[in-house]
Amino acid sequence: MQRNSNIKRLCVSAIMIALATVLSLIKVYTLPLGGSITLLSMVPIAFLSVSYGMGWGFFSAFIYSLIQMLLDIAAVASWGLTPAVFIGCIAFDYILAYTALGISGVFRKKGAKGVVLGVCIALFLRFFSHFLSGVILFRSYEMFNSPFLWSLAYNGSYMLPEMIFTAIGTFVLFKNKNIKGLID
């Protein structure tokens, strides 16, 4: 019985990561130096964390971060970054930012509102990782006198709408009685 459960978890995870990847390619808005508002691409990753717990959520989110990095690596490489900034960008804007989505299931036992709170925390952590990247790595692109204000404005301009859309999508999804039955 345990083997069937593990196979089911792997299959569901593969499908959800693939769905998240496809949804991430449907961009509502894209900024010139990376960052975009997507069509609910974070919801499938949040679903995995809520369904199978944060440990599995972090693992799935890490796999998703690698896929996002591979999809964008050519564009990032074309920016002419120094090797140190390039590595920092990979770490902050991909690995840490997307892996943070694994925390989505932190309040999974609290119902739909707890799930939405977990998703908001996860997307805030993703924002914070991008924010730190902007402050530390992309200081030369600042449009304000402060790299903090520049990074806050730049990353907030796409992460705030992404968080709102994802929170609404997650709430609607987890209010559905059929979805509640899928969660372990």
Side-chain angles (χ1 to χ4, degrees):
M1 209 54 159
Q2 178 68 21
R3 179 176 151 89
N4 288 341
S5 177
N6 289 338
I7 291 171
K8 176 187 172 192
R9 181 185 299 200
L10 283 171
C11 290
V12 168
S13 298
I15 291 167
M16 289 295 137
I17 292 169
L19 177 60
T21 301
V22 169
L23 291 173
S24 76
L25 298 173
I26 304 171
K27 299 184 187 312
V28 176
Y29 180 76
T30 302
L31 293 170
L33 295 174
S36 60
I37 302 168
T38 63
L39 185 63
L40 303 174
S41 64
M42 306 295 115
V43 173
I45 304 303
F47 177 84
L48 292 173
S49 183
V50 171
S51 296
Y52 300 119
M54 288 193 320
W56 192 259
F58 279 117
F59 172 73
S60 301
F62 175 72
I63 298 300
Y64 181 65
S65 78
L66 296 177
I67 293 169
Q68 289 302 304
M69 179 189 66
L70 290 173
L71 288 172
D72 291 347
I73 198 83
V76 174
S78 74
W79 295 345
L81 305 174
T82 66
V85 172
F86 181 76
I87 291 168
C89 181
I90 296 301
F92 282 106
D93 288 319
Y94 292 94
I95 306 299
L96 293 174
Y98 287 101
T99 301
L101 299 172
I103 203 167
S104 296
V106 67
F107 298 118
R108 66 190 189 132
K109 305 282 189 203
K110 305 284 185 194
K113 290 180 183 176
V115 170
V116 170
L117 179 59
V119 165
C120 287
I121 290 169
L123 267 74
F124 175 79
L125 291 174
R126 181 179 160 207
F127 160 77
F128 189 68
S129 186
H130 293 305
F131 171 78
L132 287 177
S133 173
V135 170
I136 296 167
L137 304 172
F138 293 96
R139 297 177 76 96
S140 62
Y141 291 105
E142 67 181 78
M143 299 166 99
F144 300 104
N145 291 332
S146 167
F148 294 98
L149 287 177
W150 176 84
S151 188
L152 180 68
Y154 187 88
N155 292 299
S157 71
Y158 70 92
M159 283 304 302
L160 183 59
E162 184 84 5
M163 181 187 296
I164 292 168
F165 294 148
T166 302
I168 292 169
T170 304
F171 184 78
V172 169
L173 182 69
F174 284 97
K175 287 298 280 184
N176 184 316
K177 290 179 172 87
N178 294 325
I179 297 299
K180 285 182 186 176
L182 293 175
I183 299 172
D184 290 351

